[in-house]
Amino acid sequence: MKEGGVDLLIANSASRRVSASAAVRGGDYECPGCHEPVVLKRGRVKIAHFSHQKKRAVCPSRRTGDG
């Protein structure tokens, strides 16, 4: 659920922000930080969130959470 210490609960779709809880499966979403593709993950155990399709070394949304 966490991308380098930060929950990715918002993504861009067609130039609009979409929350993971309101997103639909199979939609085209991108990370608001690095603009790379993300996928919606939603299940019965964890809250809805987005995850990068490919792991990037550098993304503004991926912080360590140290400050």
Side-chain angles (χ1 to χ4, degrees), residues 7-31:
D7 290 331
L8 197 54
L9 302 177
I10 301 290
N12 294 335
S13 177
S15 300
R16 292 186 174 169
R17 294 277 170 115
V18 177
S19 70
S21 60
V24 295
R25 291 184 189 271
D28 291 323
Y29 302 106
E30 68 177 32
C31 173

Side-chain angles (χ1 to χ4, degrees), residues 1 8-9 20-22 40-43 46-50:
M1 178 172 65
L8 197 54
L9 302 177
S21 60
L40 174 65
K41 294 191 175 183
R42 181 171 38 217
K46 294 185 178 181
I47 64 168
H49 64 282
F50 294 99

Side-chain angles (χ1 to χ4, degrees), residues 29-38 52-54 56 58-59:
Y29 302 106
E30 68 177 32
C31 173
C34 66
H35 306 287
E36 291 293 321
V38 294
H52 287 86
Q53 286 183 359
K54 295 181 181 179
R56 285 180 46 108
V58 178
C59 174

